[in-house]
Amino acid sequence: MTINLAMALVVAVLYSVGFYLLLQRSLMRVLIGVVVLGHGTNLLLQLVGGPPGRAPIVGEVPAGALVADPLPQALALTAVVITFALTTFLLALGYRSFVLVGHDEVQDDVEDRRIASQEVPAGGLDDPADDLAPTSEGSDK
């Protein structure tokens, strides 16, 4: 079985663009990334299914009978349903964000900003084992 190089390249581009869009802060871009990944998955499943008309089971096939493998088609249908469900969820999430905040950008967490702004001591980070070690302060001798 040979794979069409152009189709493999299209699948790679669709996956690259989809993952790039998933890493954005705008929920609309995340939504478009999910849709592009869904299309890439459908194309990948059809690509690995092989050329149409080949028998799915190894064995004797009557002459002139065209038999197609139904598994890639079933998996593509499942991918379509999952993509549709994620799309509707992200549309609802983006709409809710736009109504409450006025935009669909995902903001940084306040606690994350506070931790990122703290300076690291000159000696580096403390060893957590040092906190557990007994100290000599307050010991009676």
Side-chain angles (χ1 to χ4, degrees):
M1 179 177 117
T2 60
I3 295 179
N4 187 354
L5 184 61
M7 292 301 283
L9 188 62
V10 168
V11 169
V13 167
L14 284 175
Y15 269 98
S16 300
V17 169
F19 281 122
Y20 174 77
L21 288 172
L22 277 179
L23 296 174
Q24 302 299 313
R25 287 192 173 268
S26 172
L27 289 179
M28 254 325 137
R29 289 184 182 175
V30 171
L31 171 70
I32 294 170
V34 167
V35 171
V36 169
L37 276 177
H39 289 309
T41 301
N42 292 335
L43 190 59
L44 176 68
L45 289 171
Q46 295 304 317
L47 181 65
V48 298
R54 294 184 62 189
I57 300 173
V58 177
E60 292 193 33
V61 177
L66 295 176
V67 181
D69 188 6
L71 183 62
Q73 296 170 6
L75 291 175
L77 182 62
T78 304
V80 166
V81 171
I82 291 171
T83 302
F84 179 71
L86 278 173
T87 301
T88 56
F89 175 71
L90 287 174
L91 274 173
L93 192 64
Y95 177 73
R96 176 84 172 158
S97 174
F98 185 77
V99 167
L100 291 177
V101 183
H103 55 80
D104 67 342
E105 295 266 334
V106 177
Q107 299 296 321
D108 283 339
D109 189 21
V110 177
E111 185 67 15
D112 287 343
R113 285 185 187 172
R114 185 187 66 77
I115 292 172
S117 68
Q118 288 181 347
E119 292 183 19
V120 177
L125 297 176
D126 293 335
D127 186 14
D130 292 340
D131 295 338
L132 301 175
T135 60
S136 61
E137 296 176 13
S139 60
D140 284 337
K141 287 194 175 186

